[in-house]
Amino acid sequence: MSDQRDSGNEQPTKKLNFATRLLHFGSEIDRTTGASSVPIYQASTFHHEDIYNPPEYDYSRSGNPTRQALEDYIAVLEGGVRGFAYSSGMAAISSTFMILSSGDHIIVTEDVYGGTYRLLTSILNRLGIETTFVDMTDIELVKKAIKPNTKAVYMETPSNPTLKITDIATITEWAKEHELITILDNTFMTPYYQRPIEMGVDIVLHSATKFLSGHSDVLAGLAVVRTEALGASLKQLQNGLGTVLGPQDSWLLIRGMKTLEARMRQSEISAGLLATWLSERTDITNVFYPGLAGHPGREIHETQSTGYGALVSFDVGSGDRAKRVLNKVQLPLVAVSLGAVESILSYPAMMSHAAMPKDVRAERGITDGLLRFSVGLEHIDDLIDDLNQALQEE
Amino acid sequence: MEKKALRIESRLAQIGSIEEPVTGAVNFPIYQATAFRHPQLGKSTGFDYSRTKNPTRQVLEDASAQLESGDDAFACSSGMAALQTVFALFGQGDHLIVSLDLYGGTYRLIERVLSKYGISASYVDTNDMDALETHRRSNTKAVFIETPTNPLMMITDIRAVCSWARQHQLLSIVDNTLMTPLFQRPLELGADIVVHSATKYLGGHNDVLAGLIITKGKALSEEMFFLHNSMGAVLSPSDSYQLMRGMKTLALRMERHESNAISIAKYLTTHPAIEAVYHPYLEGHPGRAIQAEQCSGNTGIFSFKVKDARYVEPILRHIQLIAFAESLGGVESLMTYPAVQTHADIPLEIRQAVGVDDKLLRFSVGIEHVEDLIADLAGALEAARVEIEGGESV
């Protein structure tokens, strides 16, 4: 969100309700023609009329009007000062980590996304960045992990795939006392349900490939910062590293985000019904969903989020049974990824967490019988009927 | 017919043309999908998640590997993203030898980002084998060449430098942006890695931001695949398509860029307001013989110095057909003022040592009619003369 670009829009966008902000974010109408959506500026470079007065945009890596509209949009939604769009969620994460230098230490949630784990343990370690993975549901463990060279704390809540809850406000408050930068991957909740910057978090990251875009058709990452200083430093890195999102994908992502609230609400209702149905079955050993009574951390989650999200993980008892279910389901896509209009069923042990040693996986509750269901927009009765037949043992 | 046996013009024209097995479409489809359904658990179609591999991007990557005579290729969200991904091969304590007259963005990446992780670089005239040897240290890991350099068109003997690098077990990396594989194929001359800002000649229309990495050798290709997937700075399917579309006309465009640039360079050598013209085809250019030996043609950019820095501003104001903008390699002609645009991040003393001073202009010659371009330039030079020297317009 930038003041000069919003000058034509007298409405104080922050005062509006979220569903309205999704459609009226400041750049939704093209200033030149009045077109009802921002044009796709498929240009790499921009003409300078006057050598002493460079234009606002000079090269698309540094700034592109379509990408800018998206970046302003996510900043408004997350309540931050500035947004950045990247070619993938991992590009957003890897570019953000570059605010750190050799010799710096970072505390990271132990059930961090596998791609982030790989980045930290096989690439950033070579650059002299040190990581400690801790169970962030326990603030005491986080406190114990601090070292003189600790510079940042990295959270994901709810976590993937067991939906563990981290207390954002408590960790952020402690981090601030120690002058640590707080970073939170908000992919699972989206700003519709959870706005970490309002709780003091410094940088919010997204794999926008998931719920924000919502159609399994765009690979994208987003970052939003709480302060101008962090904004300047992320801007320099985004431009310097060139990990930017293209104009067509920026436009597709904007298009997807307009229906975020409608999609999230519907998927959440269905996810709640699915989780309840699963928890009532005697042949399911465990159901993980923050909306279920008895889900650990549920009370904390309810203080920091306005919803429970669309992901349900459940344990069918054994690896063999999980495989049978995956081969029998008809409706959900059996695939990696999540957060789309179509339901996606994943098998963490062999997909997202395949690289993790079996004992480490077991320790984190990622058992061989665990399945992760990303609930889409199909009718819930159809999804339940389908899962019911897949769970039926001959 | 075996595609490898075809001439490069034929391979360019047919990128993706006969790859689509389902419908026979003559252009490869844009797979705007992030995830791919697994036909059965443990079975993959070869595609799982688009960051790792996307069918549209794959066609572009395979074609690029073949055009550059490499083993594998990786498409990135920008030229800088390609460079960043390549530089992630290196870690703390590593040292690089880099062309003295370097693109400003690469210089910034090294000095502002890589330096934070204990990676250092020496800037060396890569023509001078003694200088290379002088700067080689026990921790030197690679030599990075641009030839011709931008903007001063210095030529490096690729074969000699790569052979020297191999002797000392250094990786040799060549930025082939300005020449393209049509005119120069560094991997055939002994280089290990070629990088491109495909935004330039390969894309060719100033409409898509993209980078390419082409690798030689299995181990290096596997390492690059790991980095490309882990860092996530990948090119989107729509931009991959756009880039292939541009590459189909590369040969036609380059031939016109080359002949236009040579004609205009020759014209400027005789112009009284011009102090020097830097084009490797011109008699007296120090790299002329090497260029003729290792390339089958010349690029469409060159630089020239006006006799008085005061000419620069009015020239840029008076050109009408030629756009004053950053970037290069498009069908439209662009003029750039390196000292304030592309090379502003390089310290004054380094810029002056290589000759990027306030009298230098870089001309990316497009494919307009050459007489129109000469007329535009002649008009701007004359208008500048009248403003600076006074007197009648002739």
Side-chain angles (χ1 to χ4, degrees), chain A residues 42-48 51-52 58-59 61 87-88 90-91 94 98 100-102 113 118 126 128 210 216-219 236 241-242 244 248-249 323 327 334-335, chain B residues 32-36 38 40-41 48-49 51 77-78 80-81 88 92 103 108 112 116-117 200 206-207 209 223 230-234 236 242 313 324-326 341:
Chain A
Q42 193 77 50
S44 60
T45 191
F46 300 83
H47 182 57
H48 297 223
I51 177 173
Y52 295 112
D58 59 3
Y59 188 60
R61 172 161 45 72
S87 54
S88 68
M90 284 315 301
S94 57
M98 298 304 242
L100 302 174
S101 302
S102 274
Y113 166 58
R118 180 175 56 203
R126 288 204 298 237
K210 311 296 163 17
S216 292
D217 59 0
V218 185
L219 216 57
Q236 193 193 42
L241 302 172
V244 295
Q248 305 234 16
D249 286 353
K323 288 169 193 164
N327 285 331
V334 175
Chain B
Q32 195 78 50
T34 56
F36 299 84
H38 292 226
Q40 211 187 317
L41 187 70
D48 304 302
Y49 188 60
R51 170 159 45 73
S77 55
S78 67
M80 289 313 302
Q92 246 187 322
Y103 168 55
R108 182 176 55 202
R112 299 225 191 129
K116 291 201 304 188
Y117 305 104
K200 312 297 160 26
N206 287 325
D207 59 1
L209 217 55
E223 173 74 358
S230 301
M231 302 174 74
V234 297
S236 71
Q242 297 257 15
E313 190 274 329
F324 171 40
E326 283 177 36
Q341 289 179 302

Coordinates of all heavy atoms in Angstrom, one line a residue, chain A residues 42-48 51-52 58-59 61 87-88 90-91 94 98 100-102 113 118 126 128 210 216-219 236 241-242 244 248-249 323 327 334-335, chain B residues 32-36 38 40-41 48-49 51 77-78 80-81 88 92 103 108 112 116-117 200 206-207 209 223 230-234 236 242 313 324-326 341:
Chain A
Q42 N 2.6 -6.5 -19.9 CA 3.6 -7.5 -20.3 C 4.8 -6.7 -21.0 O 5.0 -6.8 -22.2 CB 3.0 -8.5 -21.3 CG 3.8 -9.7 -21.6 CD 3.8 -10.7 -20.5 OE1 2.8 -11.1 -20.0 NE2 5.0 -11.2 -20.1
A43 N 5.4 -5.9 -20.2 CA 6.6 -5.1 -20.7 C 7.7 -5.3 -19.7 O 7.5 -5.4 -18.5 CB 6.2 -3.7 -20.7
S44 N 8.9 -5.5 -20.3 CA 10.1 -5.6 -19.4 C 10.7 -4.3 -19.0 O 11.4 -4.2 -18.0 CB 11.1 -6.6 -20.0 OG 11.5 -6.0 -21.3
T45 N 10.5 -3.3 -19.9 CA 11.1 -2.0 -19.7 C 10.2 -0.9 -20.0 O 9.1 -1.1 -20.6 CB 12.4 -2.0 -20.5 OG1 13.2 -0.8 -20.1 CG2 12.2 -1.9 -22.0
F46 N 10.6 0.3 -19.6 CA 9.7 1.5 -19.7 C 10.4 2.7 -20.3 O 11.6 2.9 -19.9 CB 9.1 1.8 -18.3 CG 8.3 0.7 -17.7 CD1 8.9 -0.4 -17.1 CD2 6.9 0.6 -17.9 CE1 8.2 -1.4 -16.6 CE2 6.2 -0.5 -17.4 CZ 6.8 -1.5 -16.7
H47 N 9.8 3.4 -21.1 CA 10.4 4.6 -21.8 C 10.6 5.7 -20.8 O 9.7 6.0 -20.0 CB 9.5 5.0 -22.9 CG 10.0 6.2 -23.7 ND1 11.2 6.2 -24.3 CD2 9.5 7.4 -23.9 CE1 11.4 7.4 -24.9 NE2 10.4 8.1 -24.7
H48 N 11.8 6.4 -20.8 CA 12.0 7.5 -20.0 C 11.8 8.8 -20.8 O 12.5 9.0 -21.8 CB 13.5 7.6 -19.5 CG 13.9 6.4 -18.7 ND1 14.7 6.6 -17.6 CD2 13.7 5.1 -18.8 CE1 14.9 5.4 -17.0 NE2 14.3 4.5 -17.7
I51 N 15.5 12.4 -19.0 CA 16.6 11.8 -18.3 C 16.7 12.2 -16.9 O 17.1 11.4 -16.0 CB 17.9 12.1 -19.1 CG1 19.1 11.6 -18.4 CG2 18.0 13.6 -19.4 CD1 20.4 11.7 -19.3
Y52 N 16.3 13.4 -16.5 CA 16.4 13.9 -15.1 C 15.2 13.5 -14.3 O 15.2 13.7 -13.1 CB 16.7 15.4 -15.1 CG 18.0 15.7 -15.7 CD1 18.1 16.4 -16.9 CD2 19.2 15.2 -15.1 CE1 19.3 16.7 -17.5 CE2 20.4 15.5 -15.7 CZ 20.5 16.2 -16.9 OH 21.7 16.4 -17.5
D58 N 10.9 1.6 -14.2 CA 11.9 1.7 -15.2 C 12.3 0.3 -15.8 O 12.7 0.2 -16.9 CB 13.1 2.5 -14.8 CG 13.8 1.9 -13.6 OD1 13.4 0.9 -13.1 OD2 14.8 2.5 -13.1
Y59 N 12.1 -0.7 -15.0 CA 12.4 -2.1 -15.5 C 11.6 -3.0 -14.6 O 11.5 -2.9 -13.4 CB 13.9 -2.3 -15.2 CG 14.5 -3.6 -15.8 CD1 14.4 -3.8 -17.2 CD2 15.0 -4.6 -15.1 CE1 14.8 -5.0 -17.8 CE2 15.5 -5.8 -15.6 CZ 15.4 -5.9 -17.0 OH 15.9 -7.1 -17.6
R61 N 11.8 -6.0 -13.4 CA 12.3 -6.7 -12.2 C 12.2 -5.7 -11.0 O 11.8 -6.2 -9.9 CB 13.7 -7.1 -12.5 CG 14.4 -7.7 -11.2 CD 15.6 -8.6 -11.5 NE 16.5 -8.0 -12.5 CZ 17.3 -7.0 -12.3 NH1 17.4 -6.3 -11.2 NH2 18.1 -6.6 -13.3
S87 N 8.2 -15.5 -7.5 CA 7.9 -16.5 -8.4 C 7.4 -17.8 -7.8 O 6.8 -18.7 -8.5 CB 9.1 -16.8 -9.3 OG 10.2 -17.1 -8.5
S88 N 7.6 -18.0 -6.5 CA 7.0 -19.2 -5.8 C 7.0 -18.9 -4.3 O 7.7 -17.9 -3.9 CB 7.8 -20.5 -6.1 OG 9.1 -20.4 -5.6
M90 N 8.6 -20.7 -2.2 CA 10.0 -20.9 -1.8 C 10.9 -19.7 -2.2 O 11.9 -19.4 -1.5 CB 10.6 -22.2 -2.4 CG 10.1 -23.4 -1.7 SD 10.2 -23.4 0.1 CE 11.9 -23.1 0.4
A91 N 10.6 -19.0 -3.3 CA 11.3 -17.8 -3.7 C 11.1 -16.7 -2.7 O 12.0 -16.0 -2.4 CB 10.9 -17.4 -5.1
S94 N 13.1 -17.9 0.4 CA 14.6 -17.9 0.3 C 15.0 -16.4 0.2 O 16.1 -16.0 0.7 CB 15.1 -18.7 -0.9 OG 14.5 -18.4 -2.1
M98 N 17.5 -14.0 3.0 CA 18.7 -13.3 2.7 C 18.8 -11.9 3.5 O 19.8 -11.3 3.3 CB 18.7 -13.0 1.2 CG 18.7 -14.3 0.3 SD 20.1 -15.4 0.7 CE 21.0 -15.4 -0.8
L100 N 19.4 -12.1 6.4 CA 20.4 -12.6 7.4 C 21.7 -12.7 6.7 O 21.8 -12.7 5.5 CB 20.0 -14.0 7.9 CG 18.6 -14.1 8.6 CD1 18.3 -15.6 8.9 CD2 18.6 -13.3 9.9
S101 N 22.8 -12.7 7.6 CA 24.1 -12.8 7.1 C 24.9 -14.0 7.7 O 24.3 -14.6 8.6 CB 24.9 -11.6 7.4 OG 24.3 -10.4 7.0
S102 N 26.0 -14.3 7.2 CA 26.9 -15.3 7.7 C 27.0 -15.1 9.2 O 27.3 -14.0 9.6 CB 28.3 -15.3 7.1 OG 28.3 -16.0 6.0
Y113 N 7.6 -26.5 7.0 CA 7.4 -27.1 5.7 C 8.7 -27.7 5.2 O 9.7 -27.1 5.3 CB 6.8 -26.0 4.7 CG 6.9 -26.4 3.3 CD1 6.2 -27.5 2.8 CD2 7.6 -25.6 2.4 CE1 6.3 -27.9 1.5 CE2 7.7 -26.0 1.0 CZ 7.1 -27.1 0.6 OH 7.1 -27.5 -0.7
R118 N 14.6 -27.9 3.9 CA 15.7 -28.3 3.0 C 16.5 -27.0 2.7 O 17.7 -27.1 2.6 CB 15.0 -28.8 1.7 CG 16.0 -29.2 0.6 CD 15.3 -29.8 -0.6 NE 14.2 -28.9 -1.0 CZ 13.1 -29.3 -1.7 NH1 12.9 -30.6 -2.0 NH2 12.2 -28.4 -2.1
R126 N 25.3 -23.6 4.2 CA 26.6 -23.4 3.5 C 27.0 -21.9 3.5 O 28.2 -21.5 3.3 CB 26.5 -23.8 2.0 CG 26.5 -25.2 1.8 CD 26.9 -25.5 0.4 NE 26.1 -24.9 -0.7 CZ 25.5 -25.6 -1.6 NH1 25.6 -26.9 -1.7 NH2 24.8 -25.0 -2.5
G128 N 26.6 -20.1 6.1 CA 26.9 -19.7 7.4 C 25.8 -19.2 8.3 O 25.9 -18.6 9.3
K210 N -1.4 -21.5 -2.8 CA -2.4 -22.3 -2.1 C -3.7 -21.5 -2.0 O -4.2 -21.1 -3.1 CB -1.8 -22.7 -0.7 CG -0.4 -23.3 -0.8 CD -0.4 -24.6 -1.5 CE 1.0 -25.1 -2.0 NZ 2.2 -24.6 -1.5
S216 N -5.1 -23.9 -8.0 CA -4.1 -24.8 -8.5 C -3.5 -24.4 -9.8 O -3.2 -25.3 -10.6 CB -4.6 -26.3 -8.5 OG -4.9 -26.7 -7.2
D217 N -3.5 -23.1 -10.1 CA -3.0 -22.8 -11.5 C -1.9 -21.8 -11.5 O -1.3 -21.5 -12.5 CB -4.2 -22.3 -12.4 CG -4.9 -21.1 -11.8 OD1 -4.5 -20.6 -10.7 OD2 -5.9 -20.6 -12.5
V218 N -1.5 -21.2 -10.4 CA -0.5 -20.2 -10.3 C 0.5 -20.6 -9.2 O 0.1 -20.9 -8.1 CB -1.0 -18.8 -10.0 CG1 0.1 -17.8 -10.1 CG2 -2.1 -18.4 -10.9
L219 N 1.8 -20.6 -9.6 CA 2.9 -20.7 -8.6 C 3.2 -19.3 -8.2 O 3.6 -18.5 -9.0 CB 4.0 -21.4 -9.3 CG 4.9 -22.4 -8.5 CD1 4.1 -23.5 -7.9 CD2 6.0 -23.0 -9.5
Q236 N 15.2 -4.3 -1.8 CA 16.5 -4.4 -2.4 C 16.8 -5.8 -2.7 O 17.4 -6.1 -3.8 CB 17.5 -3.9 -1.3 CG 18.9 -3.6 -1.9 CD 19.9 -3.4 -0.8 OE1 19.9 -4.1 0.2 NE2 20.7 -2.4 -1.0
L241 N 17.9 -10.0 -6.3 CA 17.9 -11.4 -6.6 C 17.1 -11.8 -7.8 O 17.2 -12.9 -8.4 CB 17.5 -12.2 -5.4 CG 18.3 -12.0 -4.1 CD1 17.6 -12.6 -2.9 CD2 19.7 -12.5 -4.2
G242 N 16.1 -10.9 -8.1 CA 15.3 -11.1 -9.3 C 14.3 -12.2 -9.2 O 13.8 -12.7 -10.2
V244 N 11.2 -12.4 -8.9 CA 9.9 -11.7 -9.0 C 8.8 -12.6 -9.7 O 9.1 -13.5 -10.5 CB 10.0 -10.4 -9.7 CG1 10.9 -9.4 -8.9 CG2 10.6 -10.6 -11.1
Q248 N 1.5 -11.8 -15.8 CA 0.3 -12.7 -16.1 C -0.1 -13.4 -14.8 O -1.2 -13.5 -14.4 CB 0.6 -13.7 -17.1 CG 1.1 -13.2 -18.4 CD 0.3 -13.6 -19.6 OE1 -0.8 -14.2 -19.4 NE2 0.8 -13.5 -20.8
D249 N 1.0 -13.9 -14.1 CA 0.7 -14.6 -12.9 C 0.2 -13.7 -11.8 O -0.6 -14.1 -10.9 CB 1.9 -15.4 -12.4 CG 2.2 -16.6 -13.3 OD1 1.3 -16.9 -14.2 OD2 3.2 -17.3 -13.2
K323 N -2.6 -46.4 1.9 CA -2.4 -46.6 0.5 C -3.6 -47.1 -0.2 O -3.9 -46.7 -1.3 CB -1.2 -47.6 0.3 CG 0.1 -46.9 0.6 CD 1.2 -48.0 0.7 CE 2.5 -47.4 1.3 NZ 3.4 -48.4 1.8
N327 N -5.7 -45.1 -3.2 CA -6.0 -45.7 -4.5 C -7.5 -45.8 -4.8 O -7.9 -46.0 -6.0 CB -5.3 -47.1 -4.7 CG -3.8 -46.9 -4.9 OD1 -3.4 -45.9 -5.4 ND2 -3.1 -47.9 -4.4
V334 N -5.2 -36.8 -5.9 CA -4.1 -37.4 -5.1 C -2.9 -36.7 -5.6 O -2.4 -36.9 -6.7 CB -4.0 -38.9 -5.3 CG1 -2.8 -39.4 -4.5 CG2 -5.3 -39.6 -4.7
A335 N -2.4 -35.7 -4.9 CA -1.3 -34.9 -5.4 C -0.7 -34.2 -4.2 O -1.3 -34.1 -3.1 CB -1.9 -33.8 -6.3
Chain B
Q32 N -1.1 -24.4 -17.1 CA -1.2 -23.4 -16.0 C -1.7 -24.3 -14.8 O -2.9 -24.1 -14.4 CB -2.2 -22.3 -16.4 CG -2.2 -21.1 -15.4 CD -1.0 -20.2 -15.6 OE1 -0.7 -19.8 -16.8 NE2 -0.3 -19.9 -14.6
A33 N -0.9 -25.2 -14.3 CA -1.3 -26.1 -13.2 C -0.1 -26.1 -12.2 O 1.0 -26.1 -12.7 CB -1.6 -27.5 -13.7
T34 N -0.4 -26.1 -11.0 CA 0.6 -26.2 -10.0 C 0.9 -27.6 -9.5 O 2.0 -27.9 -9.2 CB 0.3 -25.3 -8.7 OG1 -1.0 -25.8 -8.2 CG2 0.2 -23.9 -9.1
A35 N -0.1 -28.4 -9.5 CA 0.0 -29.8 -9.0 C -0.5 -30.8 -10.0 O -1.2 -30.4 -10.9 CB -0.8 -30.0 -7.7
F36 N 0.0 -32.0 -9.9 CA -0.3 -33.0 -10.9 C -0.8 -34.3 -10.2 O -0.2 -34.7 -9.2 CB 0.9 -33.4 -11.7 CG 1.4 -32.2 -12.5 CD1 2.3 -31.3 -11.9 CD2 1.0 -32.0 -13.8 CE1 2.7 -30.1 -12.6 CE2 1.4 -30.8 -14.5 CZ 2.3 -29.9 -13.9
H38 N -1.5 -37.9 -9.1 CA -0.7 -39.1 -9.1 C -1.7 -40.2 -9.6 O -2.7 -40.5 -9.0 CB -0.2 -39.5 -7.8 CG 0.9 -38.5 -7.3 ND1 2.1 -38.9 -6.8 CD2 1.0 -37.1 -7.4 CE1 2.8 -37.8 -6.5 NE2 2.2 -36.7 -6.8
Q40 N -1.5 -43.3 -9.3 CA -1.6 -44.3 -8.2 C -0.6 -43.9 -7.2 O 0.4 -43.2 -7.6 CB -1.3 -45.7 -8.8 CG -2.0 -46.8 -8.2 CD -1.4 -48.1 -8.7 OE1 -1.2 -48.3 -9.9 NE2 -1.1 -49.1 -7.8
L41 N -0.7 -44.3 -6.0 CA 0.2 -43.9 -5.0 C 1.6 -44.5 -5.4 O 1.7 -45.7 -5.7 CB -0.2 -44.5 -3.6 CG 0.7 -44.0 -2.5 CD1 0.5 -42.5 -2.2 CD2 0.5 -44.8 -1.2
D48 N 5.0 -33.6 -10.5 CA 4.4 -33.6 -9.2 C 3.9 -32.2 -8.8 O 2.8 -32.0 -8.4 CB 5.3 -34.1 -8.2 CG 5.9 -35.5 -8.5 OD1 5.1 -36.4 -8.7 OD2 7.1 -35.7 -8.6
Y49 N 4.8 -31.3 -9.0 CA 4.6 -29.9 -8.5 C 5.3 -29.0 -9.4 O 6.5 -29.3 -9.7 CB 5.1 -29.8 -7.0 CG 4.7 -28.5 -6.3 CD1 3.4 -28.2 -6.2 CD2 5.7 -27.7 -5.9 CE1 3.0 -27.0 -5.6 CE2 5.3 -26.5 -5.2 CZ 4.0 -26.2 -5.1 OH 3.7 -25.0 -4.5
R51 N 6.8 -26.2 -9.3 CA 8.1 -25.6 -9.0 C 9.2 -26.6 -9.4 O 10.3 -26.2 -9.9 CB 8.2 -25.3 -7.5 CG 9.6 -24.9 -7.0 CD 9.6 -24.1 -5.7 NE 8.7 -24.6 -4.7 CZ 9.0 -25.7 -4.0 NH1 10.1 -26.4 -4.2 NH2 8.1 -26.1 -3.0
S77 N 12.9 -16.9 -13.1 CA 12.0 -15.8 -13.2 C 12.6 -14.5 -13.7 O 11.9 -13.6 -14.0 CB 11.3 -15.5 -11.8 OG 12.3 -15.3 -10.8
S78 N 13.9 -14.4 -13.7 CA 14.6 -13.3 -14.3 C 16.1 -13.7 -14.6 O 16.5 -14.7 -14.1 CB 14.6 -12.0 -13.4 OG 15.3 -12.3 -12.2
M80 N 18.6 -12.2 -13.2 CA 19.2 -12.1 -11.9 C 18.9 -13.4 -11.1 O 19.7 -13.8 -10.3 CB 18.8 -10.9 -11.2 CG 19.4 -9.6 -11.7 SD 21.2 -9.7 -12.1 CE 21.8 -10.1 -10.4
A81 N 17.7 -13.9 -11.2 CA 17.3 -15.1 -10.5 C 18.1 -16.3 -11.0 O 18.6 -17.1 -10.2 CB 15.8 -15.4 -10.7
A88 N 24.5 -19.9 -5.9 CA 24.2 -20.7 -4.7 C 25.0 -22.0 -4.7 O 25.0 -22.7 -3.7 CB 22.7 -21.0 -4.6
Q92 N 30.4 -20.1 2.1 CA 31.3 -19.3 2.9 C 32.7 -19.5 2.6 O 33.2 -20.7 2.6 CB 31.0 -19.6 4.4 CG 30.4 -18.5 5.1 CD 30.4 -18.9 6.6 OE1 30.2 -20.0 7.0 NE2 30.6 -17.9 7.4
Y103 N 28.0 -6.4 -15.8 CA 26.6 -5.9 -15.7 C 26.4 -5.4 -14.2 O 26.7 -6.1 -13.3 CB 25.6 -6.9 -16.1 CG 24.2 -6.6 -15.8 CD1 23.6 -5.4 -16.2 CD2 23.4 -7.4 -14.9 CE1 22.3 -5.0 -15.8 CE2 22.1 -7.1 -14.6 CZ 21.6 -5.9 -15.0 OH 20.3 -5.5 -14.6
R108 N 26.1 -5.9 -8.2 CA 25.3 -5.6 -6.9 C 25.0 -6.9 -6.2 O 25.1 -7.0 -5.0 CB 24.0 -4.9 -7.3 CG 23.1 -4.5 -6.2 CD 21.9 -3.8 -6.7 NE 21.2 -4.6 -7.7 CZ 20.4 -4.1 -8.6 NH1 20.2 -2.8 -8.7 NH2 19.8 -4.8 -9.5
R112 N 26.6 -6.8 -2.6 CA 25.6 -6.5 -1.6 C 25.0 -7.7 -1.0 O 24.5 -7.7 0.1 CB 24.5 -5.6 -2.1 CG 25.0 -4.3 -2.6 CD 24.1 -3.2 -2.1 NE 24.5 -2.0 -2.9 CZ 23.6 -1.2 -3.5 NH1 22.3 -1.5 -3.4 NH2 24.0 -0.1 -4.1
K116 N 27.8 -10.8 2.1 CA 27.3 -11.0 3.4 C 27.5 -12.5 3.9 O 27.4 -12.8 5.1 CB 25.7 -10.8 3.5 CG 25.3 -9.4 3.3 CD 23.9 -9.1 3.9 CE 22.9 -10.1 3.3 NZ 21.5 -9.7 3.7
Y117 N 27.7 -13.4 2.9 CA 27.9 -14.8 3.2 C 29.3 -15.2 3.1 O 29.6 -16.4 2.8 CB 26.9 -15.6 2.4 CG 25.5 -15.1 2.6 CD1 24.9 -14.4 1.6 CD2 24.9 -15.4 3.8 CE1 23.6 -13.9 1.8 CE2 23.6 -14.9 4.0 CZ 22.9 -14.2 3.0 OH 21.7 -13.7 3.2
K200 N 16.3 -10.5 -22.9 CA 16.9 -9.7 -23.9 C 16.7 -10.4 -25.3 O 15.6 -10.6 -25.7 CB 18.4 -9.5 -23.6 CG 18.7 -9.1 -22.1 CD 18.1 -7.7 -21.9 CE 17.9 -7.3 -20.4 NZ 18.6 -7.9 -19.3
N206 N 10.9 -7.3 -25.5 CA 10.8 -6.5 -24.3 C 9.5 -6.7 -23.6 O 8.9 -5.8 -23.1 CB 10.9 -5.0 -24.7 CG 12.3 -4.5 -25.0 OD1 13.2 -5.0 -24.4 ND2 12.4 -3.6 -26.0
D207 N 9.0 -8.0 -23.6 CA 7.8 -8.2 -22.9 C 7.8 -9.3 -21.9 O 6.8 -9.5 -21.2 CB 6.7 -8.5 -24.0 CG 7.0 -9.7 -24.9 OD1 8.0 -10.4 -24.7 OD2 6.2 -10.0 -25.7
L209 N 10.2 -11.1 -18.7 CA 11.3 -11.2 -17.8 C 11.7 -12.7 -17.6 O 10.8 -13.4 -17.2 CB 10.9 -10.5 -16.5 CG 11.9 -9.7 -15.7 CD1 12.4 -8.5 -16.6 CD2 11.2 -9.1 -14.5
E223 N 23.1 -30.9 -9.3 CA 23.2 -29.9 -8.3 C 22.3 -28.7 -8.6 O 21.7 -28.1 -7.8 CB 24.7 -29.6 -8.1 CG 25.0 -28.4 -7.2 CD 24.8 -28.8 -5.7 OE1 24.4 -29.9 -5.4 OE2 25.1 -27.9 -4.9
S230 N 14.8 -25.9 -5.0 CA 14.8 -25.5 -3.5 C 14.7 -24.0 -3.4 O 14.0 -23.6 -2.4 CB 16.1 -25.9 -2.9 OG 16.3 -27.3 -3.0
M231 N 15.3 -23.2 -4.2 CA 15.2 -21.8 -4.1 C 13.9 -21.2 -4.7 O 13.4 -20.2 -4.3 CB 16.4 -21.1 -4.6 CG 17.6 -21.7 -3.9 SD 19.2 -21.1 -4.6 CE 19.1 -19.4 -3.9
G232 N 13.4 -22.0 -5.7 CA 12.1 -21.7 -6.2 C 11.9 -20.5 -7.1 O 10.8 -20.0 -7.4
A233 N 13.1 -19.9 -7.6 CA 13.0 -18.8 -8.5 C 12.7 -19.2 -10.0 O 13.5 -18.9 -10.9 CB 14.2 -17.9 -8.4
V234 N 11.6 -19.9 -10.2 CA 11.3 -20.6 -11.4 C 10.5 -19.7 -12.4 O 9.8 -18.8 -11.9 CB 10.6 -21.9 -11.2 CG1 11.5 -22.9 -10.5 CG2 9.3 -21.8 -10.5
S236 N 7.4 -19.0 -14.9 CA 6.0 -19.5 -14.9 C 5.7 -20.1 -16.3 O 6.4 -19.8 -17.3 CB 5.0 -18.3 -14.7 OG 5.1 -17.4 -15.8
Q242 N 5.7 -17.6 -23.7 CA 6.1 -16.4 -24.3 C 7.6 -16.4 -24.8 O 7.9 -15.9 -25.9 CB 6.0 -15.2 -23.3 CG 4.6 -14.9 -22.8 CD 4.0 -13.8 -23.5 OE1 4.4 -13.3 -24.6 NE2 2.9 -13.3 -23.0
E313 N 22.3 14.7 -22.7 CA 20.9 15.0 -22.4 C 20.1 15.4 -23.6 O 19.0 14.9 -23.8 CB 20.9 16.1 -21.3 CG 19.5 16.3 -20.7 CD 18.7 17.3 -21.4 OE1 19.3 18.3 -22.0 OE2 17.5 17.2 -21.5
F324 N 14.3 5.9 -25.0 CA 15.3 6.0 -23.9 C 14.8 5.1 -22.8 O 13.9 5.5 -22.1 CB 15.4 7.5 -23.6 CG 16.2 7.8 -22.3 CD1 17.4 7.1 -22.1 CD2 15.8 8.7 -21.5 CE1 18.2 7.3 -21.0 CE2 16.6 9.0 -20.3 CZ 17.7 8.3 -20.1
A325 N 15.4 4.0 -22.6 CA 14.9 3.0 -21.6 C 16.1 2.1 -21.3 O 17.0 1.9 -22.0 CB 13.7 2.2 -22.1
E326 N 15.9 1.4 -20.1 CA 16.9 0.3 -19.8 C 16.6 -0.9 -20.6 O 15.6 -1.0 -21.2 CB 16.8 0.1 -18.3 CG 17.5 1.1 -17.4 CD 17.4 0.9 -16.0 OE1 17.4 -0.3 -15.6 OE2 17.2 1.8 -15.2
Q341 N 22.0 4.7 -15.4 CA 21.0 3.6 -15.4 C 21.6 2.3 -15.0 O 21.7 2.0 -13.8 CB 20.3 3.5 -16.8 CG 19.4 4.8 -17.1 CD 18.8 4.7 -18.4 OE1 19.5 4.6 -19.4 NE2 17.5 4.7 -18.5

